[in-house]
Amino acid sequence: MASVFAAATVQVHAADKRYPLASVKKIEVIEPSSGSAWEDKDFLDCTDVVLTEEDVRYALQHIRRVPRKSYFSEYTERTGCSGGASVTFKNGKFIVIGVEPTGRINIFEADANLEPTKAPESFYECAPCKDRKMDLLKDALDRADERRLRKAEA
């Protein structure tokens, strides 16, 4: 019974076979940290969230494709922060990947100039990525709490 559960768990977080980590030639973090209109500096300042090459590798190992509707659902957790990277594969394929600390990930395939190809953008979730990144962000969240307290005291 335990082996059946373990096999099911592995499949739930199985990586997208179109982007195998073993085929990665190069990862370049293009935008380590950025904020959007969703950013709430009282909750989390996006400058406290930095995407690393290790984050991209981890995401490629654990992403799970989700429908566009699910990715943009009003119930989806967002921080307003993200980072972006380009990934070059040994077969010459390029992708641009956007990663949020909540585990929301979008990928589009690109040409050598990092311009989008005609392939549709893909949307992913990565629960293990969220757990990992949020553990790393505890200090950043604590700093945000301190900012809120100072603001309230003022």
Side-chain angles (χ1 to χ4, degrees), residues 25-87:
K25 180 178 176 182
K26 177 181 166 187
I27 296 174
E28 182 180 351
V29 176
I30 300 167
E31 190 168 30
S33 178
S34 71
S36 71
W38 289 93
E39 180 183 17
D40 179 358
K41 288 188 188 276
D42 286 337
F43 172 68
L44 179 65
D45 188 337
C46 289
T47 59
D48 292 334
V49 183
V50 178
L51 180 69
T52 65
E53 183 178 325
E54 183 181 339
D55 294 329
V56 175
R57 288 184 183 282
Y58 193 81
L60 289 173
Q61 288 178 305
H62 297 91
I63 57 177
R64 181 178 61 88
R65 194 164 186 170
V66 295
R68 177 184 202 89
K69 184 177 180 180
S70 173
Y71 184 85
F72 289 108
S73 167
E74 65 184 271
Y75 303 109
T76 302
E77 185 178 8
R78 297 174 177 88
T79 62
C81 302
S82 66
S86 67
V87 181

Side-chain angles (χ1 to χ4, degrees), residues 44-45 47-56 58 99-101 128-143:
L44 179 65
D45 188 337
T47 59
D48 292 334
V49 183
V50 178
L51 180 69
T52 65
E53 183 178 325
E54 183 181 339
D55 294 329
V56 175
Y58 193 81
V99 181
E100 296 182 25
C129 297
K130 175 186 175 184
D131 295 342
R132 178 178 173 274
K133 197 64 174 179
M134 288 313 226
D135 283 345
L136 295 172
L137 289 175
K138 285 182 182 174
D139 288 338
L141 294 171
D142 289 343
R143 288 191 296 275

